[in-house]
Amino acid sequence: MSVLTLVPEGQSAEVPDGLTLREALARLGTEVLAPCGGEGTCGKCRVLVHEGAAAPLPEENALLTPEQLAQGLRLSCRVRVAGPMQVEVPASSRRPAMRILPGGVNRPVPIDPAVTKELIHLEAQKLDQPWARLEHLRFSGELRADLRADLDLLRRLPALLDGEPGTFTAVLREDRLLDVERGDTTGRCFGVALDLGTTTVVASLVDLTSGREVGHAAVVNRQTTYGHDVIARINHTIEGEAQLEELRVAAVQSLQEVIDQALEKAEVKRDEVYEATLVGNSTMMHLFLGISPLSLGHLPYVAMFNDALEMPAHQAGIALNPVAWLYMLPEIAGFVGADTVGAILATSLDEDEGRIRLMADIGTNCELALRHGKRLLVTSTPAGPAFEGARIACGMYAAPGAIEEVHLDGTVKLKVIGGGEPRGLCGSGLLDAGAELVRHGIVDETGRLLDPEEVQNPAWRERLIEQEEEERALVLAWREGEPPLALTQRDIRELQLAKGSIRTAIDFLLEKTGLTPDDLDEFCLAGGFGNYLDEHSALRLGLLPAMDPKKIHFVGNGALVGARLALISRDLRQRGALSARQAEHLQLAGTPDFQMRFAESMLFTGGAQ
Ligand code: FES
């Protein structure tokens, strides 16, 4: 064991020798970013070692400059504890505060939650009322005849219903009496809708009496420490039960953290929350329950379960009111999970409104759902983490300091989340930058960043620089005392991979139904990235097929909206389950001409927008 001290905080703890610094810092409660999952390839887990590090390893020599190494900058996923150490974690390596994606669409539904409260004025039982206390409560409150109580509640009843008259509140969940509370608590009945995203975890706290959202919060999924995408997480579980348990605990802790943040902001107590609904992709749902997701990692990419699940929340490790229940929305297929069912509910794709509508929920995985008359078709494609800022040299989450808009208009104009100096580039900024480079002819159709001699405009020519290993890059922002913020040739390739994958899936779904983009009445874009992207940039790069931009609508975090709808409406809960059963899943991976389509879709051949 050795003492690890965090400076300047001064916090220290004994940690086992042999742990990586990143693992050891996690024990001190400090999470370091690790988009590559600790593989030593992203270079984003940098920390300043003031004392105690051994000589740099080859991966560090490759990802850090000699000057940075001389300053003490090291990769926390490579350096191991082997004696007392003093370490500083720069703000750029810490988990950022997330930008919260607004609730998005608002589908009006009658408020009919699974959990309700009933006020009961209980009188003392008379001689001619010799029935059980529970029956007395039921008669007095005119509660349903088939009401049942669990053993836990039966054990608490003698202390609660001691025969004295008084006012009580019955907490009901359909045919279950969940609890009996003293006094009138009918005005305090809350539920929480949860979206367990691969990158971001979001909670929406809802007053179940009015259906109104009273608070929300977002945090980075703690599982990102084990890899940025679902494949990295699935691969982590190959190592064994302990690794699966690490991911389960990380998911539970992320959910509890985001719930507690939302509760604190809204001044609601855990005890006042009686129901939670949860959406997420299939891998997240498996990991959250501690179920091995290995079957999702190889053909034919099947889940262990697809059904909606419900259970006492505490059984899944979530602390709310002790009697609270958790409802997990159903999944459709291996890579079309409960988050897609949520987005289908949010966009009313569960109904045949007589319009042809396509919804794309863009994250590290992109799910698509198409409503065409009676048919609901779904497919999915791995979009990769580029739009989440990973595998991009200066990439970062959509958090304060991230460039979210790029305009090249004689000069470079950047819009930074929260204002101030840019720290990196998030997904929408990456898309804009790519579209602008194409518009100004700095990148050609194949995605090649031109040599300075090939570029006419001197303003762009001087921004085209050569980085290590002769890699071409375009400077977006010069920074004092730091390397410039630049978009590299490799970043453009990553953008092409993500864009090509999404576009291939859109074309595939339309083709399978004999439709063209012109047939679409509406194209809904959902998800953290989908909500902030510029439709003109998406059309120019060919991420979306040529269509009237007026048909494109942003629906915010559709998955979360769906979880919220399932929280306040039992009907919508059922409609989600029905849609999941009826949806036709089209498997894109493995189709004969997939590679050819994908290669074509990677070209920057959008329309002039
Ligand atoms: Fe350390 Fe990626 S290089 S987490």
Side-chain angles (χ1 to χ4, degrees), residues 22 33-45 63 75-78:
R22 186 171 63 90
L33 285 177
C36 74
E39 296 287 321
T41 55
C42 70
K44 302 255 160 120
C45 61
L63 290 164
L75 299 182
S76 63
C77 72
R78 299 290 98 186

Side-chain angles (χ1 to χ4, degrees), residues 231-243:
I231 299 301
R233 314 264 172 94
I234 292 171
N235 286 342
H236 187 66
T237 68
I238 293 174
E239 292 173 35
E241 289 287 318
Q243 284 70 20

Side-chain angles (χ1 to χ4, degrees), residues 1 49 59 137 220 234 296 313 328 344 359 371 412 436 524 592:
M1 300 284 271
V49 179
E59 301 93 310
L137 183 87
V220 174
I234 292 171
L296 290 161
M328 295 171 65
I344 286 172
M359 184 273 298
R371 168 58 72 177
V412 177
E436 287 292 80
C524 301

Side-chain angles (χ1 to χ4, degrees), residues 60 115 146 256 369 422 426 440 515 547 563:
E60 295 183 290
V115 173
D146 60 350
Q256 195 65 55
C426 67
H440 288 277
L515 296 169
M547 70 175 84

Side-chain angles (χ1 to χ4, degrees), residues 236-272:
H236 187 66
T237 68
I238 293 174
E239 292 173 35
E241 289 287 318
Q243 284 70 20
L244 175 61
E245 179 61 6
E246 279 173 354
L247 289 171
R248 186 194 69 78
V249 169
V252 170
Q253 286 178 342
S254 305
L255 287 168
Q256 195 65 55
E257 181 185 358
V258 80
I259 291 169
D260 289 345
Q261 279 190 18
L263 290 174
E264 198 182 322
K265 283 190 218 164
E267 297 184 358
V268 172
K269 298 189 193 84
R270 276 185 184 175
D271 268 1
E272 295 173 319

Side-chain angles (χ1 to χ4, degrees), residues 56 60-61 63-73 468:
E60 295 183 290
N61 283 321
L63 290 164
L64 299 169
T65 63
E67 295 75 40
Q68 290 171 327
L69 285 165
Q71 280 168 22
L73 263 189
E468 281 167 34

